[in-house]
């Protein structure tokens, strides 16, 4: 039974590869240079775990695999017991110039952490209440989150959390489903006989423009302490495609820079906010012949040790990937067939000529075409059950 489960797990990997995608649970097996990324990531995690906030940059040329590298880093972080959030900015609706929307989109990725709940953020508070570990007391230093904790505690005591979690979840996640005024009116009525009837919740991001940048980093730091209180080692946040902030809406770029400045101030200890087990990783295209984006380097990563450059794969590395896929294919369909180096080299050269401007598209196409070639050669055969 175990063997059959393993085979069908590999079959799902093959099905993903037909679309040029690598499923996360097999990412360590099909990432060339995985050990290097792991070493870099683990150094970050050790700092983060010690409540030393970290800023980091993943950089490289267009299409070199920066997004995949971020995926690998999040995978490693979760395997190591960290909580992860991710977002891909578009320079318009999802941008550092709009902290509330950015935070809302980050929270959409909560379920990447295997939290299957209708109220994932509230569930973190519930875990923290259950554990009451060393990080639990540190939540008191974050006034806004402490108010949420107090209300959740009161609802739990009265057995009402299942009826009203959606109100708290909506405010916490910065959604537009309910206003803070309406939420407080409902909760004040429900908790009128408790010690928290006059407690006013507020969104994590203020409506006041001047407060939004500070609110954003305070919210992330607070959530980092919250996940530590819930049993995780810390919070890893990845922000992908930073370069579009420069391109899509140049008139807003000064606001983006202001946000970076405030984030950088917190990371370097320049703000009157508690230290948290938080790491923020940006991905960006190399600019002006230098590694990375100059603003990310200036405000966030700052030192060479906090920059990881993704280099283009050599032809031999691409062929090595195809060999790994060949082994996986043969194991899945229980075949005995040697890997053809010449086929791998010819396919690699073909895709390099066809898609010379984007290595990430090259890799996806090479994977898809190679699986197609194997299917044409072998069937694909049916899986043999024993």
């Amino acid at each position: 039974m175990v063997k059959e489960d393993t085979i069908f797990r590999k079959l799902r990997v093959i099905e993903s590869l037909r679309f040029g995608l690598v499923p996360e649970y097999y990412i360590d097996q099909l990432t060339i240079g995985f050990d290097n990324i792991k070493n870099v990531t683990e150094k970050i995690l050790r700092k983060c775990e010690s409540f030393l906030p970290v800023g980091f940059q993943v950089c490289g040329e267009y299409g070199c695999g920066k997004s995949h590298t971020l995926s690998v880093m999040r995978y490693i972080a979760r395997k190591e017991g960290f909580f992860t959030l991710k977002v891909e900015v578009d320079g318009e609706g999802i941008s550092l110039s709009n902290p509330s929307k950015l935070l809302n989109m980050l929270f959409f990725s909560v379920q990447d952490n295997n939290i299957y709940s209708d109220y994932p953020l509230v569930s973190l508070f519930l875990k923290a209440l259950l554990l009451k570990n060393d990080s639990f007391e540190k939540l008191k230093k974050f006034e806004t989150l402490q108010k949420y904790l107090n209300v959740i505690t009161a609802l739990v005591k009265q057995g009402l959390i299942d009826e009203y979690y959606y109100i708290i979840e909506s405010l916490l996640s910065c959604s537009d489903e309910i206003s803070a005024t309406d939420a407080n009116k409902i909760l004040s009525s429900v908790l009128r006989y408790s010690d928290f009837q006059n407690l006013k919740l507020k969104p994590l991001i203020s409506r006041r423009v001047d407060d939004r940048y500070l609110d954003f980093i305070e919210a992330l730091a607070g959530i980092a302490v919250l996940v530590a209180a819930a049993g995780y080692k810390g919070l890893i946040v990845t922000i992908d495609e930073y370069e579009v902030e420069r391109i899509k809406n140049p008139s807003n770029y000064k606001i983006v820079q202001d946000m970076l400045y405030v984030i950088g101030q917190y990371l370097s200890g320049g703000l009157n906010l508690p230290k948290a087990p938080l790491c923020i990783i940006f991905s960006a295209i190399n600019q002006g012949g230098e590694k990375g984006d100059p603003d990310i380097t200036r405000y966030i990563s700052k030192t060479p040790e906090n920059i990881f450059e993704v280099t283009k794969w050599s032809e031999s590395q691409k062929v090595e990937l195809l060999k790994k896929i060949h082994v996986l294919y043969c194991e899945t369909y229980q075949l005995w067939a040697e890997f053809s180096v010449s086929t791998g080299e010819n396919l690699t050269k073909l895709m390099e000529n066809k898609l010379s401007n984007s290595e990430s598209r090259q890799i996806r196409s090479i994977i898809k075409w190679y699986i197609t070639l194997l299917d044409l050669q072998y069937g694909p055969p049916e899986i043999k059950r024993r």
Side-chain angles (χ1 to χ4, degrees), residues 21-240:
L21 304 174
V22 179
E24 186 178 272
Y25 60 83
Y26 220 76
I27 204 168
D28 55 337
Q29 301 294 316
L30 294 176
T31 296
I32 304 300
F34 178 85
D35 288 341
N36 190 22
I37 299 173
K38 184 179 180 182
N39 289 338
V40 169
T41 305
E42 287 182 341
K43 289 179 182 178
I44 298 171
L45 298 181
R46 298 292 75 81
K47 292 180 182 178
C48 183
E49 187 178 4
S50 300
F51 275 68
L52 295 174
V54 180
F56 198 85
Q57 179 176 191
V58 171
C59 63
E61 300 302 326
Y62 172 76
C64 67
K66 297 181 296 297
S67 297
H68 179 74
T69 300
L70 291 184
S71 294
V72 174
M73 296 178 84
R74 290 192 302 270
Y75 167 81
I76 294 167
R78 285 194 292 272
K79 294 282 281 187
E80 292 283 332
F82 287 78
F83 198 90
T84 68
L85 295 174
K86 66 180 180 183
V87 70
E88 181 179 309
V89 295
D90 61 16
E92 296 173 321
I94 307 171
S95 168
L96 273 75
S97 64
N98 187 347
S100 182
K101 181 64 174 179
L102 187 66
L103 196 58
N104 176 250
M105 295 306 296
L106 279 167
F107 287 147
F108 267 104
S109 64
V110 164
Q111 292 188 346
D112 287 353
N113 300 275
N114 295 323
I115 296 181
Y116 302 109
S117 169
D118 292 333
Y119 46 100
L121 296 176
V122 172
S123 72
L124 289 173
F125 281 94
L126 296 178
K127 287 183 179 180
L129 280 168
L130 184 65
L131 292 176
K132 291 193 175 178
N133 59 22
D134 292 342
S135 295
F136 185 79
E137 288 298 314
K138 296 177 182 178
L139 276 175
K140 293 180 180 178
K141 297 179 181 179
F142 296 90
E143 182 181 351
T144 300
L145 286 182
Q146 182 63 42
K147 289 182 178 180
Y148 280 94
L149 178 61
N150 291 341
V151 170
I152 290 169
T153 301
L155 289 172
V156 169
K157 286 181 177 179
Q158 296 190 28
L160 297 173
I161 188 66
D162 287 337
E163 294 182 46
Y164 296 98
Y165 70 80
Y166 68 93
I167 294 176
I168 300 171
E169 189 76 20
S170 295
L171 279 181
L172 268 173
S173 62
C174 301
S175 78
D176 298 326
E177 294 178 9
I178 189 169
S179 69
T181 301
D182 290 341
N184 285 316
K185 187 181 297 184
I186 295 169
L187 292 171
S188 293
S189 176
V190 171
L191 300 175
R192 61 187 179 277
Y193 299 120
S194 75
D195 295 332
F196 304 109
Q197 69 272 20
N198 295 319
L199 193 60
K200 300 296 183 184
L201 297 179
K202 63 179 184 179
L204 296 184
I205 307 295
S206 170
R207 290 182 178 274
R208 287 173 51 85
V209 175
D210 292 342
D211 295 338
R212 290 179 181 178
Y213 315 131
L214 184 60
D215 286 348
F216 179 80
I217 191 60
E218 183 174 358
L220 284 187
I223 294 297
V225 173
L226 173 61
V227 300
Y232 297 90
K233 292 181 180 179
L235 174 64
I236 309 300
V237 176
T238 64
I239 300 176
D240 200 4

Side-chain angles (χ1 to χ4, degrees), residues 55-56 260 263-264 267 280 282 295-302:
F56 198 85
L260 287 180
I263 294 173
L267 295 173
I280 303 177
F282 284 85
D295 285 335
I296 299 296
T297 301
R298 178 184 178 187
Y299 296 117
I300 307 299
S301 52
K302 295 186 178 180

Side-chain angles (χ1 to χ4, degrees), residues 259-278:
M259 171 72 113
L260 287 180
Y261 172 77
V262 173
I263 294 173
Q265 282 291 100
Y266 172 73
L267 295 173
S268 60
L271 296 179
N272 187 26
L273 288 175
K275 290 183 178 180
L278 171 66

